[in-house]
Amino acid sequence: MSSTATRKRMTGQDRREQILDVLLTIVDAEGFHAATPNRVAEEAGVTRPVLYQQFGDMAGLYVALVDREFARAGKQFAAGVAALDLSDPSTVFVGTFRVALDSIAESRATWRLFLFPPQGAPPALHARLEESEAVVRAFLRQGLESVFPSTPDPELVARLLHASGRELLRMRLEDPAEATEERLIALVEHQVGLRLAALD
């Protein structure tokens, strides 16, 4: 059966997802600057008019990718955190970090998009980054105020925890052989254990 016949059976939504998958692959490997209209259309097996019909223009395509991956990462993280027993003090931090590692393992390209913003990234990506980072910092601050109520200036400490956690996740993506999950989790468990011991 011809590829043309196969394309005709694809729904508009399926076609849209396929184009976004192709774009993510290109961006993950080479950055947004490499995702030209001709290249995306060719690798997705569509014409440029189809590309523009689905997304309006390249800016619309970029924003659609950012929004899809932001929603995907948020859904993964929220589902993982929802399954945690947050009544356990160590789970607030260690468990949440495990969730982030699991999410990265499931969708590495998605998380690279946000932890290592590619060259030529659209403003929408940076806006989503600011939005997600604010949510995570608020979560960490609430955890600090619940588990370590005597923490001085929990807002600043939450920012430090967020920056440290982000760097550990970047290490996991950049050098997984060196930054193993076991090694990173052991470090987080140790740091949380020290704080908990100080409360005794």
Side-chain angles (χ1 to χ4, degrees):
M1 185 175 294
S2 70
S3 59
T4 301
T6 301
R7 289 199 297 270
K8 287 181 179 178
R9 289 203 306 269
M10 188 175 289
T11 66
Q13 183 59 35
D14 288 342
R15 173 65 67 198
R16 185 179 177 90
E17 291 300 311
Q18 181 207 23
I19 293 170
L20 291 175
D21 288 342
V22 167
L23 176 60
L24 179 60
T25 299
I26 295 172
V27 168
D28 185 43
E30 303 176 48
F32 280 93
H33 68 284
T36 63
N38 286 339
R39 182 173 178 186
V40 174
E42 180 180 354
E43 294 192 16
V46 301
T47 62
R48 285 183 59 170
V50 170
L51 197 68
Y52 295 134
Q53 181 183 34
Q54 288 288 335
F55 300 98
D57 55 20
M58 290 305 291
L61 175 59
Y62 293 161
V63 170
L65 176 67
V66 169
D67 285 345
R68 187 188 74 166
E69 299 310 304
F70 178 76
R72 178 177 291 174
K75 183 177 180 180
Q76 288 175 336
F77 188 75
V81 170
L84 296 177
D85 176 14
L86 296 181
S87 64
D88 178 359
S90 66
T91 300
V92 175
F93 299 101
V94 179
T96 300
F97 187 71
R98 285 181 183 271
V99 167
L101 288 176
D102 289 344
S103 298
I104 283 176
E106 184 176 344
S107 303
R108 298 181 69 84
T110 296
W111 285 83
R112 268 195 296 266
L113 184 65
F114 294 103
L115 290 172
F116 294 97
Q119 184 177 359
L125 177 58
H126 299 288
R128 294 294 182 273
L129 275 174
E130 291 179 5
E131 180 181 339
S132 63
E133 289 175 353
V135 170
V136 173
R137 287 196 300 268
F139 175 83
L140 291 172
R141 177 174 179 171
Q142 291 173 1
L144 285 168
E145 292 174 339
S146 173
V147 178
F148 306 115
S150 62
T151 298
D153 206 333
E155 180 180 355
L156 288 184
V157 175
R159 285 181 173 272
L160 287 173
L161 289 175
H162 174 262
S164 299
R166 190 171 190 272
E167 182 59 25
L168 293 179
L169 295 178
R170 285 168 59 96
M171 289 172 61
R172 177 62 186 158
L173 280 171
E174 199 168 34
D175 189 0
E178 183 71 17
T180 63
E181 290 190 1
E182 294 77 12
R183 184 180 183 187
L184 298 179
I185 290 172
L187 174 62
V188 174
E189 287 178 333
H190 177 70
Q191 294 300 315
V192 172
L194 289 177
R195 292 300 306 271
L196 290 173
L199 294 178
D200 294 338

